[in-house]
Amino acid sequence: MDREQSKTIQWFPGHMARTRRKIKEVLPQIDVVAELLDARAPLSSRNPEMDALTAGKPRVLVLTKSDMADEAATRRWVAAFQKQGTPALAVDCKTGRGVNGFVPMLREVMADKLAMWEQKGMGGRPIRALVAGIPNVGKSSFINRMTKGGKAKVEDRPGVTRQNQWFVIGGGVHLLDTPGVLWPKFEDQTAAMYLAFTGAIKDQVLDGEELACALLTVLERDYKDRLIERYKLDDSAFCGDSWELLQTIGRKRGMLVSGGEVNTERAASTVLDEYRGGKLGRISLEQP
Ligand code: G4P
């Protein structure tokens, strides 16, 4: 779709360079990396440099916002990641669903190391985990949940990482939030688009109508029934042209301007708001 491809999202290599440096600085203190991914788009919400940045460290995946994603798709994602050898867990930090599996998952991936520490008489040593993820993926919400929403105990490690806050959670685990900003895959147009649908990338970067049309294309492909139900459409609304579909939705909602034309800007923001607000149900943009 040309409409979808016509804008390039800017990103700033300088930010990533600073983050790279900060992560390198803390890495020697990290035992395991907990990479947070948005359950609705686990591939698009990955930082493209994550593997390289944290090479050699054990890794677990936490699929956040699972309350907004398609449950069946999330189950398949978790299974697919596990099959590739990376333990994964779906969580909902609004209610806390799933978070109890986090510490056991860490302890399991660290089992050999823990046994070794035990042998060396370092049994009480905490597991230090880096909570890594792109902005808005839910890092603070997850850390808050893990510290039970209460006041997190903050450990100072003077001289080493003065500005880094460690959060002590149960089960002998300490968490560190990503130092710096791990940008998403801005250069990947589809990934950027999916993140814009979810609101992780701000709208002003993209044209609202273009974005809504691109979202409608994805929804028509995977969740056509939801569109039919929500906007009282029939099959004739789906003629393979999402711009037409947007107009039909606008017309159905009575969003007309003088002369009887559809106010497509309003229709677009309605579609985006309703998707983001969960009015179309739980939707996964990417399927494994
Ligand atoms: P970050 O530290 O990685 O940048 O992300 P943060 O925790 O700030 O979360 C970004 C947004 O995502 C917040 O919404 C937060 O409430 C929401 N969020 C995080 N985890 C979940 C989840 O599991 N389920 C749902 N439904 N939402 C989640 P916000 O609009 O910025 O703030 P607010 O809605 O909390 O006011």
Side-chain angles (χ1 to χ4, degrees):
M1 192 170 109
D2 290 346
R3 200 177 280 283
E4 190 178 326
Q5 300 297 338
S6 64
K7 274 217 168 104
T8 308
I9 300 168
Q10 294 271 308
W11 76 300
F12 307 101
H15 285 166
M16 202 50 223
R18 206 176 325 142
T19 302
R20 233 179 260 131
R21 204 166 55 237
K22 285 185 176 176
I23 290 189
K24 262 199 192 127
E25 237 172 68
V26 298
L27 216 53
Q29 301 175 63
I30 301 295
D31 300 311
V32 55
V33 176
E35 186 180 359
L36 269 50
L37 307 176
D38 189 319
R40 296 167 294 179
L43 300 182
S44 294
S45 56
R46 262 195 134 153
N47 172 273
E49 295 187 33
M50 219 30 222
D51 290 344
L53 278 173
T54 61
K57 297 286 173 186
R59 173 103 52 102
V60 298
L61 297 175
V62 177
L63 304 192
T64 59
K65 311 191 187 186
S66 65
D67 53 308
M68 295 166 91
D70 188 327
E71 231 173 338
T74 303
R75 263 198 305 275
R76 288 200 301 275
W77 275 115
V78 168
F81 288 128
Q82 310 256 34
K83 207 171 155 198
Q84 286 170 10
T86 314
L89 173 76
V91 300
D92 159 10
C93 292
K94 289 262 177 196
T95 64
R97 197 167 170 222
V99 300
N100 287 342
F102 180 67
V103 169
M105 175 169 71
L106 280 192
R107 298 198 75 86
E108 200 179 323
V109 82
M110 290 286 298
D112 290 349
K113 201 80 171 270
L114 288 173
M116 195 183 79
W117 290 348
E118 191 73 49
Q119 264 183 5
K120 289 187 175 169
M122 295 157 54
R125 200 193 134 158
I127 297 174
R128 292 192 286 245
L130 176 70
V131 176
I134 62 169
N136 270 320
V137 76
K139 294 179 298 297
S140 332
S141 307
F142 178 70
I143 291 172
N144 269 335
R145 261 292 156 193
M146 295 312 300
T147 54
K148 308 217 160 42
K151 231 177 128 190
K153 282 186 210 153
V154 179
E155 266 203 358
D156 245 31
R157 293 173 186 275
V160 191
T161 52
R162 252 162 300 129
Q163 64 281 60
N164 292 322
Q165 285 196 330
W166 287 85
F167 297 88
V168 179
I169 64 171
V173 175
H174 293 188
L175 299 180
L176 177 68
D177 199 350
T178 305
V181 178
L182 280 170
W183 286 105
K185 300 178 191 168
F186 276 135
E187 72 282 14
D188 173 341
Q189 289 295 288
T190 308
M193 200 66 72
Y194 285 176
L195 295 176
F197 295 159
T198 66
I201 291 177
K202 295 276 176 280
D203 271 8
Q204 57 260 37
V205 192
L206 292 164
D207 179 274
E209 286 155 297
E210 286 183 329
L211 196 59
C213 284
L215 174 60
L216 286 172
T217 303
V218 174
L219 296 178
E220 178 178 344
R221 186 190 68 203
D222 295 332
Y223 298 93
K224 195 170 163 183
D225 51 328
R226 310 272 186 92
L227 288 175
I228 291 175
E229 194 187 330
R230 178 82 198 162
Y231 299 111
K232 316 262 179 295
L233 304 172
D234 55 50
D235 261 333
S236 66
F238 302 95
C239 57
D241 182 341
S242 57
W243 180 246
E244 283 294 326
L245 181 55
L246 183 67
Q247 300 223 29
T248 306
I249 289 171
R251 217 171 291 120
K252 287 271 177 187
R253 287 285 177 94
M255 294 169 173
L256 303 176
V257 288
S258 56
E261 295 223 341
V262 176
N263 183 342
T264 45
E265 246 172 70
R266 239 184 99 199
S269 62
T270 298
V271 168
L272 289 167
D273 287 350
E274 295 193 357
Y275 161 72
R276 288 174 189 158
K279 299 272 167 43
L280 289 153
R282 298 171 60 165
I283 284 173
S284 292
L285 299 166
E286 289 173 335
Q287 317 285 334

